[in-house]
Amino acid sequence: MAITDKNTKHKVKTKEAFRKAFIKKVEEVSGEDFSESTTRHQYEALAELVMEEITAEWAVNNSRLHKMEEKQIYFFSIEFLIGRLLKAYVNNLGWDTMVEETLDELGVDYEAIQAEEHDPALGNGGLGRLMACFLDSTAALGFPGHGNGIRYKYGLFEQKIINDEQVEVADIWLKNGYPFEIVKPDKAVVVKYNGDVRVEEVNGKMQFIHENYDPVLAVPYDIPVKGYRNNTVNSLRLWSAKPVEDFDLSTFNQGHFLKAMQRKSEAESISQILYPSDHGFEGKLLRLKQEYFFVCAGLKRIVRRYKKHNHGSMDGFPDKICIHINDTHPALCVPELMRILVDEEGYDWDVAWDMTIKSISFTNHTVLPEALEKWPIDMVQKLLPRVYQIIEEINRRFINDMNWFYPDQVDRNYSMAILKDGQVHMAHLAIIGSHSVNGVAELHSKILREETFKDFYAVFPDRFTSVTNGVTQRRFMMGSNPGLKTLLDDTIGTDWKKPGNMCSLEALLPYAQDAAFCQKLGDIKHANKERLAKYIKETQGIVLNPDSIFDVQVKRIHEYKRQLLNILHVILTYNQLRSNPNADIVPKTYIFAGKAAPSYVYAKEVIRLINVVADRVNNDPLVKDKLKVVFVPNFNVSVAELIYPAAEISEQISTAGKEASGTGNMKFMMNGALTLGTMDGANVEIAEAVGMDNVFTFGLSDTEVYNYNTHGGYRSLEVYESDSRLQEILGQLISGFFGESAGFQMIYDSLLLHNDTYFVLKDFAPYVDIQDIVSNVYRDQKQWQKMSAINIAHSGIFSSDRSIEDYEKRVWKVK
Ligand SMILES: *Cc1c(COP(=O)(O)O)cnc(C)c1O
């Protein structure tokens, strides 16, 4: 039954119609009377109703898309960290009030229904979440933009904390099925690995024929991306790997049963797991297979569709298609598109090269050297023989051109090569093969231009640009902080909620001086803190004091993000309380969450340290209500949606120059938390937006860090020897003070023996000082709420709607 009245755009006819449809659907999925239904049935029923509504619009959109009336953007990314979708769909359809009221009247628990959805963890952190925010904003703004990635059978591991340590458990997210995807077997394509390339001359032209390859079938699963209260429905296409035939019959018939089975499992392994490493480079053959897998399959479908609607010609392709590559994992788009244009479409190299560059744009996400992808040449050559030949030719022509234009710069020219030191340098391939290269915050883009890629910048200055990241306010504020949303509506009206219009939140500024408004803002924060405290009580049995400051650091665990600095300061506070239990300190609750890559031993030690300190502090009667430490397990999008709205302090304390942008910092800000951070990534822009009076900054600047790293001059031992607080704390790390089974020698050594690569000790004293300032400001609640209001008022520029508009103007030029 159609719920939508087609005459009034996406308006649900009536609550009554929805109520009937819902009850009927629950009875269909359960085969029982409504009164017998479980939460699971109700979830499945609501999901189906939502999908029926959206797929009707989707079909209309897809036919628009097929006609190629508008330029299409395709985000190629190895991760899409989309989070739960049910509530987002309901909200974007404009069904929220109707659904909430109806379910309430039926005595059905909407929150419980939402919790039935398994949060798809198809990404590690910021990079994957950024893609999900971009898809939401692209659809909200009515642009045709789609995702292209991998449908991992197992998402990122589920994190449990057992005996203070991270334990990884497989995430079987598809166990109960997934209602928001549609599999399209008729659109499956073959991806070819290994084999040989035979060259043949046909009519005076060289033909390259790929033979004896291992074929793998790529099957697309499409998830609709529904725009906010408009009629745009875009697609997230995730590819799943299958054997071409379930059994390799000829092998099977010869009696090689195991070999036939092995082929099947080899094929399926390609989309089996997400690599659980957020920054470190994974040099595995399987990872390279994954990268080619979604690149090859995605481009094949895009090209096929384009040709079908353009009389079989590819000529206008770059005017209608943007291939946007999210970090270097999809950089094989460059040689693969060349392969299609040259080998399959018969274009001359130069024409094809021009078309490729015009079609592709590239976003870089990190400057950490261990994250810049490089593949052994022989591995690429064997796995992707024809693609490798094309990379070789791209490289040869590039170096030739450079040597022609810059004959006196042979060393520099060679240093920019794609192929050198026996490796394929993916970032070089991406820069050389695209028309736009951008960093993800002003500071990061500057570092790309001046350090990481300075030689490329000298050669291609026009290619470099900057687009500061953003996050979708629809999920991370309106959806997860309804109290705040309502207060804003009541205070300044509802215009700020229109896609692309979040900067009109500045209308809030006068209210920052308004005592009644600030009181309400504080009340909402308090309610959000209680909501989080309830969750932590229920899941971990730890009781939090909602009147204490909630000081929060949630993100992947990484040395450069410096969770260590935070916990060392906690230990300091604990030591101070032990020596003076009656000290007049503002009660504080430190909340940590985040996963460490399973192979990242140091990061796992930091998790253990946080938990060990938490055990000790939370169980020490001396401390009473003044200090609490919690590590919330299994940080994912759903947990994030509970935590950000409850935070008062946003810890963004990376070593300056290391965090490309950060997006967590933006989610905190739009929920009214105050940033306590280094001048790094987008923190710099947050500080610019709100003014230095409304953020708490500290620590070395990126230039100071750079100078120490290039010219030396930092000795962590000197800092240690001159600070008795550090001597006590670091002593406790190795003395078994916290009652743990093993000391933290590895952490101790990194700080003192290996000269503290991330400047934790150097920034310790300024960090302690700024923490004291924060506590003092908090004593003045009026002042605090005023600062909080100012932060919310200026958070509009960190909406991903603004990022997408910037990409559109600077990179894609859709209009
Ligand atoms: C926003 C987000 C991140 C990124 O956080 P940063 O603080 O920018 O590192 C990681 N994981 C999840 C689940 C997120 O929602």
Side-chain angles (χ1 to χ4, degrees):
M1 116 180 252
I3 301 177
T4 299
D5 180 346
K6 295 293 174 203
N7 299 321
T8 54
K9 208 169 55 183
H10 51 260
K11 281 275 156 36
V12 175
K13 256 185 204 154
T14 57
K15 249 170 73 181
E16 192 43 40
F18 172 72
R19 186 190 150 95
K20 276 197 192 137
F22 179 67
I23 292 174
K24 181 158 174 271
K25 189 61 87 181
V26 169
E27 292 179 344
E28 272 171 29
V29 297
S30 67
E32 305 258 4
D33 185 71
F34 181 74
S35 60
E36 296 291 316
S37 63
T38 62
T39 309
R40 184 75 207 172
H41 296 138
Q42 294 158 3
Y43 160 70
E44 284 170 8
L46 184 56
E48 266 194 44
L49 288 178
V50 161
M51 276 300 270
E52 281 169 13
E53 184 70 19
I54 292 175
T55 44
E57 290 181 4
W58 205 9
V60 177
N61 264 257
N62 275 333
S63 84
R64 234 171 82 200
L65 175 103
H66 287 237
K67 295 197 193 91
M68 293 278 165
E69 283 155 1
E70 296 147 290
K71 194 167 182 179
Q72 308 284 321
I73 304 147
Y74 291 92
F75 299 100
F76 277 62
S77 177
I78 198 140
E79 300 182 10
F80 286 89
L81 186 52
I82 55 182
R84 287 184 180 139
L85 294 184
L86 179 63
K87 185 169 83 172
Y89 283 140
V90 166
N91 292 352
N92 284 353
L93 281 165
W95 283 14
D96 35 345
T97 312
M98 176 186 76
V99 168
E100 281 157 26
E101 290 180 4
T102 308
L103 296 183
D104 200 40
E105 286 160 22
L106 289 169
V108 168
D109 183 347
Y110 186 29
E111 300 260 316
I113 290 184
Q114 290 166 41
E116 282 293 320
E117 181 177 350
H118 194 114
D119 188 335
L122 307 184
N124 279 293
L127 172 143
R129 183 55 233 176
L130 185 78
M131 282 297 103
C133 285
F134 279 9
L135 288 178
D136 184 75
S137 285
T138 305
L141 294 167
F143 290 128
H146 315 282
N148 187 75
I150 298 176
R151 181 177 178 271
Y152 299 104
K153 186 169 170 199
Y154 299 99
L156 186 58
F157 63 87
E158 183 191 341
Q159 179 195 53
K160 297 207 156 130
I161 302 296
I162 298 175
N163 294 333
D164 300 317
E165 291 183 43
Q166 166 173 302
V167 173
E168 299 105 26
V169 181
D171 172 54
I172 311 177
W173 71 287
L174 292 165
K175 187 173 49 185
N176 298 318
Y178 186 61
F180 304 119
E181 62 182 6
I182 295 185
V183 56
K184 304 206 167 141
D186 57 311
K187 295 201 158 73
V189 297
V190 173
V191 179
K192 302 171 184 174
Y193 297 104
N194 301 315
D196 331 288
V197 177
R198 184 164 53 84
V199 189
E200 205 174 82
E201 208 178 302
V202 182
N203 301 331
K205 253 196 151 171
M206 300 285 247
Q207 299 280 310
F208 296 84
I209 298 142
H210 189 181
E211 299 178 318
N212 306 320
Y213 51 79
D214 300 325
V216 172
L217 201 63
V219 182
Y221 288 70
D222 288 0
I223 297 172
V225 182
K226 170 83 186 86
Y228 179 73
R229 296 177 194 191
N230 61 18
N231 44 29
T232 298
V233 187
N234 293 327
S235 303
L236 168 57
R237 173 161 286 178
L238 300 178
W239 295 94
S240 179
K242 299 265 164 9
V244 170
E245 309 152 34
D246 254 20
F247 281 117
D248 179 340
L249 265 186
S250 65
T251 313
F252 187 64
N253 290 341
Q254 286 160 21
H256 303 299
F257 178 74
L258 283 176
K259 193 151 185 237
M261 287 303 286
Q262 186 190 344
R263 285 242 174 125
K264 175 172 154 68
S265 79
E266 265 178 29
E268 286 175 351
S269 71
I270 292 173
S271 57
Q272 197 85 355
I273 58 149
L274 165 80
Y275 274 93
S277 162
D278 59 331
H279 269 107
F281 165 64
E282 288 284 348
K284 300 259 166 60
L285 177 63
L286 181 60
R287 172 77 165 203
L288 183 60
K289 278 190 189 168
Q290 289 185 333
E291 294 186 358
Y292 185 64
F293 178 69
F294 77 100
V295 160
C296 172
L299 284 179
K300 255 202 179 102
R301 286 295 348 160
I302 293 167
V303 166
R304 255 186 225 178
R305 176 185 281 169
Y306 181 84
K307 281 177 67 184
K308 190 167 158 209
H309 295 277
N310 289 277
H311 318 289
S313 163
M314 287 280 284
D315 288 353
F317 188 80
D319 304 321
K320 290 288 187 189
I321 304 287
C322 299
I323 306 290
H324 195 86
I325 62 182
N326 189 40
D327 219 357
T328 56
H329 322 115
L332 291 172
C333 278
V334 175
E336 179 64 10
L337 187 54
M338 281 300 284
R339 190 191 64 75
I340 294 171
L341 292 169
V342 173
D343 289 2
E344 295 179 4
E345 302 298 323
Y347 286 97
D348 285 344
W349 183 278
D350 290 325
V351 177
W353 184 239
D354 189 52
M355 289 169 75
T356 297
I357 289 183
K358 277 193 181 134
S359 305
I360 295 178
S361 48
F362 164 50
T363 296
N364 171 281
H365 279 269
T366 174
V367 294
L368 298 183
E370 68 268 30
L372 289 174
E373 281 193 301
K374 299 172 192 78
W375 295 104
I377 282 181
D378 45 4
M379 187 192 278
V380 180
Q381 193 166 21
K382 179 162 184 306
L383 185 71
L384 307 168
R386 179 58 187 147
V387 167
Y388 178 74
Q389 289 178 342
I390 290 175
I391 296 174
E392 240 179 0
E393 184 62 11
I394 293 171
N395 184 62
R396 190 187 66 79
R397 288 175 183 240
F398 174 75
I399 295 295
N400 270 357
D401 285 357
M402 288 298 117
N403 287 341
W404 169 262
F405 285 112
Y406 308 98
D408 52 341
Q409 303 249 25
V410 175
D411 283 351
R412 184 193 72 178
N413 296 345
Y414 180 71
S415 77
M416 297 163 76
I418 300 166
L419 302 176
K420 57 172 183 174
D421 321 322
Q423 293 179 309
V424 182
H425 292 246
M426 298 290 269
H428 296 191
L429 177 62
I431 298 172
I432 293 167
S434 55
H435 66 279
S436 169
V437 179
N438 73 282
V440 289
E442 289 296 335
L443 177 65
H444 170 59
S445 302
K446 187 193 88 156
I447 293 173
L448 293 186
R449 289 191 304 265
E450 294 177 3
E451 294 166 38
T452 322
F453 299 134
K454 72 172 191 300
D455 294 335
F456 287 102
Y457 181 58
V459 175
F460 305 122
D462 300 340
R463 267 183 208 190
F464 283 76
T465 182
S466 181
V467 178
T468 299
N469 281 166
V471 301
T472 171
Q473 68 274 22
R474 287 170 288 278
R475 178 179 292 269
F476 287 109
M477 195 252 257
M478 292 153 60
S480 57
N481 196 346
L484 179 59
K485 177 188 73 173
T486 307
L487 175 65
L488 298 177
D489 283 350
D490 294 347
T491 310
I492 57 166
T494 58
D495 256 14
W496 66 275
K497 289 190 298 198
K498 286 193 190 134
N501 205 32
M502 194 170 164
C503 286
S504 65
L505 275 183
E506 287 188 4
L508 204 63
L509 279 175
Y511 294 92
Q513 317 286 343
D514 180 318
F517 175 82
C518 287
Q519 176 69 43
K520 286 182 201 152
L521 196 58
D523 292 347
I524 288 162
K525 183 62 75 181
H526 201 272
N528 292 336
K529 288 162 76 180
E530 282 174 342
R531 181 177 71 167
L532 177 62
K534 180 165 171 272
Y535 172 81
I536 289 173
K537 171 89 202 307
E538 283 168 7
T539 51
Q540 296 177 258
I542 298 174
V543 178
L544 304 188
N545 168 14
D547 294 320
S548 62
I549 313 183
F550 277 22
D551 180 320
V552 184
Q553 188 172 21
V554 292
K555 45 181 79 241
R556 287 299 288 243
I557 312 294
H558 220 291
E559 281 163 285
Y560 84 85
K561 290 179 184 275
R562 297 201 296 192
Q563 283 90 354
L564 181 60
L565 177 58
N566 189 343
I567 197 68
L568 293 184
H569 173 256
V570 173
I571 299 174
L572 173 71
T573 312
Y574 179 56
N575 288 342
Q576 288 167 341
L577 275 174
R578 282 192 311 127
S579 58
N580 179 10
N582 298 318
D584 176 28
I585 70 162
V586 184
K588 248 183 169 187
T589 299
Y590 290 89
I591 297 168
F592 292 86
K595 294 175 186 176
S599 59
Y600 194 169
V601 178
Y602 192 94
K604 292 169 101 170
E605 277 293 275
V606 172
I607 292 179
R608 186 167 72 87
L609 177 60
I610 295 169
N611 281 295
V612 160
V613 171
D615 289 346
R616 174 78 189 243
V617 167
N618 298 347
N619 295 309
D620 188 335
L622 261 185
V623 168
K624 299 202 197 80
D625 241 7
K626 289 184 173 160
L627 182 61
K628 270 265 149 67
V629 184
V630 263
F631 187 94
V632 182
N634 203 37
F635 186 58
N636 61 14
V637 177
S638 305
V639 174
E641 287 173 43
L642 272 176
I643 293 181
Y644 293 119
E648 289 167 307
I649 299 172
S650 157
E651 296 267 1
Q652 306 300 336
I653 58 177
S654 51
T655 311
K658 300 288 182 204
E659 185 74 88
S661 161
T663 49
N665 45 4
M666 303 168 182
K667 301 171 200 163
F668 280 108
M669 181 197 190
M670 55 180 68
N671 284 286
L674 305 187
T675 304
L676 191 179
T678 48
M679 282 299 228
D680 197 18
N683 300 351
V684 177
E685 285 152 80
I686 291 177
E688 264 170 32
V690 297
M692 292 306 277
D693 293 346
N694 295 298
V695 285
F696 302 101
T697 63
F698 76 101
L700 292 175
S701 69
D702 71 293
T703 317
E704 287 167 324
V705 169
Y706 179 83
N707 286 339
Y708 278 131
N709 283 337
T710 35
H711 309 303
Y714 174 50
R715 279 193 61 236
S716 62
L717 257 178
E718 276 171 19
V719 178
Y720 171 78
E721 278 160 3
S722 65
D723 191 332
S724 58
R725 302 169 302 185
L726 281 173
Q727 290 158 20
E728 182 179 9
I729 296 166
L730 299 197
Q732 288 165 329
L733 291 189
I734 50 170
S735 70
F737 173 82
F738 293 104
E740 71 280 14
S741 52
F744 294 92
Q745 193 71 42
M746 181 187 281
I747 292 176
Y748 182 91
D749 287 351
S750 79
L751 294 175
L752 296 179
L753 227 59
H754 308 307
N755 206 33
D756 183 19
T757 313
Y758 295 94
F759 301 91
V760 173
L761 300 192
K762 182 77 186 164
D763 275 347
F764 180 74
Y767 182 62
V768 173
D769 294 344
I770 197 78
Q771 279 280 8
D772 289 343
I773 292 173
V774 170
S775 293
N776 277 327
V777 174
Y778 195 79
R779 289 176 198 268
D780 182 353
Q781 271 299 296
K782 256 175 75 186
Q783 172 66 14
W784 188 273
Q785 299 310 341
K786 178 182 143 196
M787 292 169 74
S788 172
I790 292 173
N791 269 268
I792 296 168
H794 288 295
S795 65
I797 52 170
F798 299 109
S799 160
S800 41
D801 297 352
R802 192 271 312 139
S803 306
I804 292 300
E805 283 171 338
D806 284 352
Y807 273 109
E808 143 59 20
K809 283 190 284 249
R810 294 174 201 170
V811 181
W812 308 322
K813 305 182 171 85
V814 174
K815 284 177 183 153

